[in-house]
Structure formats: C-alpha cells, structure tokens
Amino acid sequence: MTQTQVRADPGARRDELGRFLKACRARIGPEEVGLAPGVRRRTSGLRREEVALLAGVGVTWYTWLEQGRPINASAHVLDAVARTLRMDPVEREHLYRLAELTPSRLPSPAEVVPDAVCEVLRALDPLPATVVNGRFDVLASNAAQKELFWEWHSMPCLHKNLLWCCVTEPNARQFLLNYDEEVPHMVARMRAEYGRYLGDPAWEEDIRRLSALSAEFTELWARHEVAEPRARARALHHPRAGRLNFRLTELAVSEVPGLRIQVSTPDDAATWARLPSTRLSS
C-alpha cells in the first residue's frame, strides 16, 4: 500500500477523538461554566453529564462519543460540544477532522523539496532557514541554519528532526533558552498535524519511538493540546556567538502540501552583529 492510500483505522480515529474530548473537558473547572464544584469529585474538570447538559445533547450520546462508539455526529452537534469545551479554531478543526466531517489532506507520496525551494533557502542567507514537515523532520537547510546548529549535539545526530533534537539532546535547554515554551508548542503543532495522518505507519512508528525515548514527550503528547502556526520568539545560546534572539516565521510550500520553510530573523541589532554566518563571512 502506498502512502497516499493510507487511511486511519476507524476505530483508531474514534479512540483518538475520545481521548481528545476527555483532555479538553479535564481542563475546564465546573465553576468556570457556572456550576457548583460539589464534593467527591473524582476527576478534575467537567463530568460527561455536565458537558452533555451544557451542549444540549444526550448524556448517553456524548458518553458513546467519548467511548469511541461508531455513532454519527453532525456539524451542529459538534459545534455545540466545541463551544462548551471552549475550543479555539485550531482545536475545533482538529475535532472535525477526527470526526471525519472535513476532508483530510492526503500525505505527500514523497516529501522531496523542489529545486526552486532550495534556491529560496540559499537566497535567504544569512538568515537561518530550513524546510520541515508536520513531524519536524529536517528536509533541507541553508548554510546559515547549518552554521547556527552544527554545534548543538553532544551526541551524533541520526534522526535529523527538530523535535527529536530538543527532547533527546541532554544539552538542549542550555542551547534553546525558551525551551519550556517552544517544545510544548512544537508537540501541540505535531498533534494538530497528526489528525491528518492518523494511521500512517510512518507517523505511528515515529510517535511510538519518541514516546519510548522521552518521558517528557509522552507527557506533552498526552495533553492533547493542538496549535496552529504563528510567529514566535526563539532565544538561543550559541557556543561562540553567545545569546541570539530570533523571530521565527513559517512559510507554507505550496508545491508540496505539509511542508513549510522556517526562517529565523534576528530580533535585535546585537543578534544581527553576532549572527554566526555573518561573522564568518565578514
């Protein structure tokens, strides 16, 4: 079976939907929606019957939805559940995708970076730039990106994946200064992409191996948080250049859906002056 023919097992998709809904209701306290906290509450967050009441759906129906039973869910009902669980737009899209109410984008049969995109990467020097997919595999990088990160690893880099580099490298927190903000965001981005590729053997194996290697990833993955692309700060400590402050921007690659270019732009004059590739070329 080719990658474009891969479809998630319906049972696996329903199970993922149930886990996502449970995670969403666990984060909302009853007092936040005008309910009395009560006593003997065995779990944090809302109960199933409270979600059903607030969404205006049957308790049995909602329970079956979380249990992964093969029931039909209309857009109207899912909207009510999404509003009750205070989902933002990216979470709502994730909910719809898991419920198969929006068309899923098929995986690219081969994630080959087009020559024109490689030319763009080279033209972006001295700005560090790289091409990644939804799992943060590094598919292509320009010279500035390689210079910025070539001293990152204390061990040989075999996986060539930004997320793996963060959660498996012992010195990652010393290099990525805003690690505790950036890594949860990356896992949430990967979780949002996962809804498109549920059942894809490459994705499932990648998640399995990463979970086995990193308890931190396992904990973050279990949160079922999802996020969308956004410009964000990235603070690095380079072994020779010192602290570098960047603004990370992502650009979609229209020729190959799912690929994106990450560009790091210096956020201050000091970073421009200390940019490794700039210093080497001067």
Side-chain angles (χ1 to χ4, degrees):
M1 180 179 289
T2 64
Q3 191 176 20
T4 53
Q5 293 173 308
V6 170
R7 287 188 60 83
D9 173 70
R13 187 178 293 278
R14 289 193 296 268
D15 288 344
E16 178 71 9
L17 173 60
R19 288 190 291 267
F20 177 62
L21 289 170
K22 291 174 187 176
C24 287
R25 69 178 170 86
R27 70 190 180 187
I28 303 174
E31 61 280 358
E32 295 180 62
V33 293
L35 297 175
V39 294
R40 297 182 181 178
R41 185 173 285 269
R42 292 178 296 177
T43 59
S44 62
L46 297 175
R47 299 187 178 103
R48 285 173 175 167
E49 58 266 31
E50 292 170 337
V51 174
L53 173 67
L54 293 167
V57 300
V59 175
T60 300
W61 182 90
Y62 183 79
T63 299
W64 286 355
L65 185 67
E66 275 200 2
Q67 290 176 343
R69 298 200 187 188
I71 59 176
N72 293 323
S74 68
H76 174 75
V77 170
L78 284 183
D79 275 343
V81 171
R83 285 194 300 271
T84 300
L85 296 177
R86 301 186 175 184
M87 294 183 184
D88 61 25
V90 66
E91 290 170 333
R92 186 178 299 234
E93 181 181 357
H94 187 62
L95 170 69
Y96 266 56
R97 190 177 299 118
L98 293 177
E100 296 190 285
L101 283 182
T102 53
S104 296
R105 184 178 63 201
L106 293 175
S108 172
E111 292 180 332
V112 177
V113 180
D115 291 340
V117 175
C118 292
E119 292 177 7
V120 170
L121 289 183
R122 289 190 290 269
L124 285 169
D125 270 315
L127 298 181
T130 188
V131 177
V132 298
N133 59 14
R135 298 195 306 268
F136 293 97
D137 292 324
V138 176
L139 303 177
S141 299
N142 65 6
Q145 179 82 9
K146 295 174 183 176
E147 171 59 27
L148 183 63
F149 286 97
W150 81 276
E151 294 176 289
W152 166 283
H153 294 280
S154 61
M155 302 178 295
C157 178
L158 302 176
H159 35 71
K160 298 192 180 301
N161 179 288
L162 296 180
L163 183 57
W164 281 64
C165 286
C166 289
V167 300
T168 64
E169 167 55 45
N171 298 325
R173 277 188 166 83
Q174 299 174 30
F175 189 83
L176 181 55
L177 301 180
N178 60 332
Y179 180 103
D180 291 329
E181 295 80 34
E182 184 66 5
V183 170
H185 174 78
M186 292 173 71
V187 175
R189 288 285 310 282
M190 184 176 174
R191 171 64 82 172
E193 286 291 315
Y194 177 58
R196 304 176 189 270
Y197 299 100
L198 192 67
D200 185 323
W203 275 77
E204 301 296 347
E205 177 63 12
D206 201 46
I207 293 166
R208 185 195 66 78
R209 292 174 58 210
L210 195 49
S211 298
L213 286 171
S214 172
E216 178 185 22
F217 172 82
T218 301
E219 189 276 326
L220 291 171
W221 189 253
R223 294 180 186 177
H224 286 263
E225 294 175 347
V226 290
E228 60 185 348
R230 57 177 172 80
R232 58 193 187 276
R234 178 175 283 177
L236 307 176
H237 177 78
H238 191 275
R240 288 178 287 110
R243 181 180 175 115
L244 301 170
N245 298 313
F246 292 102
R247 176 63 54 179
L248 188 69
T249 304
E250 296 193 3
L251 310 171
V253 178
S254 58
E255 296 96 320
V256 186
L259 300 192
R260 56 190 186 272
I261 302 173
Q262 292 190 337
V263 185
S264 298
T265 305
D267 216 16
D268 51 48
T271 298
W272 272 112
R274 293 197 296 266
L275 197 62
S277 59
T278 303
R279 293 168 69 249
L280 289 176
S281 61
S282 59

